């Protein structure tokens, strides 16, 4: 029974505030819908409510800056305790790079402050999204208070390897959002902690319906909801659209939505190839606006031409693809990261990484073969309903939280920090 769990502390980067982590906002809202009591502690300070559903979580969130008088006071109290001094030594001795050490030390004061706060609020279990400094905060709180904790690992945060083995030793559970992420974690830390690791996907709302398909529209509308980073592969899609134009296929409009360091470079490439009337650059928008476009059948395909960049970075299982699939919108992507787990069995069209020719062929097939377009969309919808249903995912999380929470009447071993 999820009502037995008690208070769950979620440590996020920004959510429910800010423009990122819309998928975490959705997860937390579903947990609340299922009866969970949440307290949310964003690492970064913000009051910007961007995503739909963030308003309902704001009252449960405690967003504060990295340092103020009370945080400094709690930090001094922790750092002069035996446990605090041991933790500081761990940060210095085990952080594998100066940059990682600096980031861990930067969040230590806030972690000490939140440890005090969580003790007073009666938190039963802590869950941190990401294996970076958000889980560093959770780890410090656990060491200072004894409150059980676990973390969700995605992909790039595993590659960074911020005290991962140290964290795995003390975590009650580790959730990987894909089998690909689990394999990556095994590669870095071995399989000694496999009993703690469980694969639970991120999910999307599957209780949605779209309007009847718009067969009368003259243009084929492509949407790309992706941060402007090299690994997202925008340049390969630009090349693919140029190929299609050379083939005489002109009834295409493509919309790039996002923010990121390569936005200007991508825009210059579009103009240089004379595709300014075909590809539109737009800023990042809330997830629910994409969903409204899918519902109204204003989008014919969602494309994410991502590719792996060695061991430096990679995809998890992009929720932006799940969201489109839930509405029966066909998706085209690659075998980067965990994407094959989502579309590899026909849930979408999978092409080779960095292959503009295959991208062009896939788009051309969707334009010319309406039966194929319908079949890909329908298979994708069934796939997310079966394996990436947000409600089912959240029920699994609640079961995990309940099995590891502080049991009623079990005192925390808070030691000299209490």
């Amino acid at each position: 029974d999820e009502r037995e769990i008690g208070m769950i502390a979620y440590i996020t980067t920004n959510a429910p505030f800010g423009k990122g982590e819309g998928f975490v906002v959705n997860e937390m809202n579903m947990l609340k819908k299922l009866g969970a009591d949440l307290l949310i502690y964003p690492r970064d300070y913000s009051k910007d409510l961007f995503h739909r559903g963030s308003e309902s979580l704001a009252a449960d969130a405690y967003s504060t800056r990295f340092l103020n008088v009370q945080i400094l006071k709690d930090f001094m109290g922790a750092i002069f305790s035996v446990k605090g001094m041991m933790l500081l030594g761990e940060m210095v001795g085990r952080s594998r790079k100066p940059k990682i050490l600096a980031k861990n030390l930067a969040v230590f004061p806030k972690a000490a402050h939140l440890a005090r706060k969580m003790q007073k609020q009666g938190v039963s279990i802590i869950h941190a999204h990401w294996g970076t400094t958000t889980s560093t905060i959770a780890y410090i709180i656990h060491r200072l208070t004894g409150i059980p904790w676990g973390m969700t690992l995605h992909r790039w945060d595993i590659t960074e390897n911020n005290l991962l083995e140290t964290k795995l030793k003390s975590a009650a559970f580790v959730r990987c959002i894909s089998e690909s992420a689990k394999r990556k974690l095994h590669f870095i830390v071995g399989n000694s902690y496999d009993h703690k690791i469980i694969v639970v996907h991120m999910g999307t709302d599957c209780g949605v319906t779209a309007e009847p398909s718009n067969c009368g529209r003259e243009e084929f509308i492509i949407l790309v909801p992706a941060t402007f980073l090299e690994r997202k592969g925008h340049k390969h899609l630009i090349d693919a659209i140029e190929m299609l134009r050379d083939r005489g296929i002109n009834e295409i409009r493509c919309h790039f939505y996002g923010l990121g360091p390569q936005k200007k470079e991508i825009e210059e490439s579009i103009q240089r190839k004379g595709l300014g009337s075909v590809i539109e650059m737009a800023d990042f928008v809330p997830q629910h606006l994409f969903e409204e476009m899918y519902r109204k059948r204003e989008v014919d395909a969602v494309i994410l031409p991502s590719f792996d960049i060695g061991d430096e970075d990679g995809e998890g299982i992009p929720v932006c693809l799940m969201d489109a699939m839930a509405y029966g919108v066909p998706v085209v992507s690659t075998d980067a990261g965990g994407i094959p787990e989502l579309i590899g069995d026909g849930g979408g069209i999978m092409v080779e990484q960095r292959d503009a020719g295959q991208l062009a062929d896939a788009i051309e097939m969707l334009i010319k073969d309406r039966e194929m377009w319908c079949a890909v969309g329908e298979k994708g919808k069934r796939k997310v309903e079966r394996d990436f249903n947000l409600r089912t995912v959240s029920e699994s999380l609640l079961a995990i939280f309940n099995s590891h929470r502080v049991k009623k009447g079990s005192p925390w071993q808070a030691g000299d920090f209490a």
Side-chain angles (χ1 to χ4, degrees):
D1 188 342
E2 60 269 14
R3 290 170 296 182
E4 294 180 2
I5 294 171
M7 197 67 70
I8 304 167
Y10 251 67
I11 300 178
T12 66
T13 302
N14 292 106
F17 307 107
K19 293 184 177 181
E21 297 183 311
F23 53 91
V24 181
V25 170
N26 292 342
E27 181 174 280
M28 292 189 295
N29 269 313
M30 180 57 74
L31 288 169
K32 287 192 68 175
K33 187 175 181 180
L34 292 171
D37 291 323
L38 296 184
L39 291 171
I40 308 165
Y41 303 91
R43 182 196 66 193
D44 299 339
Y45 175 79
S46 176
K47 292 296 183 182
D48 175 29
L49 296 174
F50 185 77
H51 295 285
R52 183 174 61 188
S54 58
E55 300 90 347
S56 62
L57 297 170
D60 303 312
Y62 176 68
S63 182
T64 184
R65 300 185 189 279
F66 275 92
L67 203 60
N68 58 34
V69 173
Q70 187 58 52
I71 290 175
L72 183 59
K73 180 179 177 182
D74 290 338
F75 173 59
M76 296 302 290
I79 208 66
F80 287 112
S81 69
V82 173
K83 287 187 176 182
M85 287 189 286
M86 290 176 63
L87 272 169
L88 182 60
E90 282 184 12
M91 297 292 111
V92 174
R94 298 181 184 177
S95 296
R96 66 186 187 89
K97 291 182 179 179
K99 183 178 179 181
I100 291 176
L101 172 61
K103 292 197 295 184
N104 286 336
L105 293 179
V107 299
F108 203 128
K110 179 178 275 193
H113 172 62
L114 295 181
R116 291 282 191 189
K117 199 167 187 65
M118 288 186 194
Q119 281 186 312
K120 294 176 182 177
Q121 292 171 315
V123 167
S124 295
I125 192 162
I126 304 166
H127 175 217
H129 257 282
W130 312 101
T132 55
T133 50
T134 46
S135 59
T136 298
I137 291 171
Y139 171 69
I140 292 170
I141 295 169
H142 163 74
R143 289 290 304 276
L144 293 174
T145 66
I147 303 172
W149 80 287
M151 57 183 167
T152 289
L153 300 177
H154 295 256
R155 176 78 179 191
W156 67 266
D157 52 329
I158 299 174
T159 301
E160 185 182 75
N161 189 9
N162 182 341
L163 300 175
L164 275 184
E165 186 168 4
T166 297
K167 291 172 181 176
L168 260 68
K169 284 180 181 178
S170 74
F173 67 91
V174 178
R175 169 205 188 186
C176 290
I177 59 97
S178 67
E179 293 290 345
S180 171
K182 184 178 179 180
R183 289 193 296 270
K184 187 77 169 176
L185 184 60
H186 278 158
F187 178 77
I188 291 174
V189 301
N191 58 9
S192 299
Y193 310 99
D194 202 48
H195 61 287
K196 297 184 178 183
I197 301 170
I198 185 169
V199 175
V200 179
H201 298 132
M202 297 304 300
T204 188
D205 184 3
C206 292
V208 297
T209 56
E211 294 178 3
S213 177
N214 182 1
C215 296
R217 184 168 55 230
E218 292 184 359
E219 294 179 328
F220 189 86
I221 307 300
I222 296 168
L223 192 148
V224 185
T227 307
F228 293 112
L229 297 169
E230 181 186 7
R231 66 180 175 85
K232 294 296 183 179
H234 292 85
K235 66 179 182 180
H236 302 298
L237 181 55
I238 294 169
D239 290 343
I241 291 173
E242 184 180 34
M243 290 179 184
L244 290 169
R245 299 273 284 185
D246 291 341
R247 297 176 189 177
I249 300 173
N250 299 309
E251 62 276 16
I252 302 172
R253 289 293 178 273
C254 184
H255 303 275
F256 288 176
Y257 284 91
L259 301 169
Q262 289 203 316
K263 186 169 187 177
K264 184 177 180 181
E265 180 182 332
I266 291 168
E267 192 165 17
E268 289 173 351
S269 176
I270 291 168
Q271 298 304 321
R272 189 168 57 251
K273 292 176 179 290
L275 297 174
S277 62
V278 181
I279 303 175
E280 174 189 331
M281 300 283 285
D283 285 338
F284 186 74
V285 300
Q287 184 178 341
H288 70 270
L289 295 184
F290 292 134
E291 293 172 358
E292 188 66 10
M293 287 186 256
Y294 304 150
R295 186 184 68 79
K296 293 180 178 179
R297 293 292 189 186
E298 295 174 352
V299 177
D300 294 300
V302 170
I303 298 181
L304 188 65
S306 301
F307 59 90
D308 293 320
I309 305 178
D311 289 331
E312 294 302 314
D313 215 337
E315 290 284 3
I317 302 182
V319 177
C320 66
L321 295 181
M322 296 179 206
D323 293 340
M325 293 164 69
Y327 285 88
V329 177
V331 301
V332 181
S333 192
T334 69
D335 60 350
I339 294 174
E341 295 172 48
L342 179 64
I343 68 169
D345 57 354
I349 298 176
M350 190 163 65
V351 302
E352 293 290 330
Q353 299 178 38
R354 309 176 195 240
D355 194 322
Q358 285 195 21
L359 274 172
D361 292 343
I363 296 168
E364 185 174 2
M365 283 191 295
L366 289 173
I367 292 173
K368 293 183 175 180
D369 190 337
R370 196 66 190 178
E371 287 188 6
M372 180 183 180
W373 183 92
C374 292
V376 172
E378 182 58 32
K379 284 194 73 173
K381 183 176 175 63
R382 292 200 303 267
K383 179 64 177 290
V384 294
E385 286 174 345
R386 184 180 72 245
D387 297 333
F388 298 89
N389 189 312
L390 180 60
R391 185 180 186 93
T392 304
V393 165
S394 300
E395 289 171 346
S396 297
L397 284 178
L398 283 177
I400 294 169
F401 296 155
N402 195 35
S403 65
H404 296 292
R405 66 184 172 88
V406 174
K407 309 300 182 186
K408 187 174 289 187
S410 300
W412 294 321
Q413 300 301 312
D416 49 25
F417 184 75

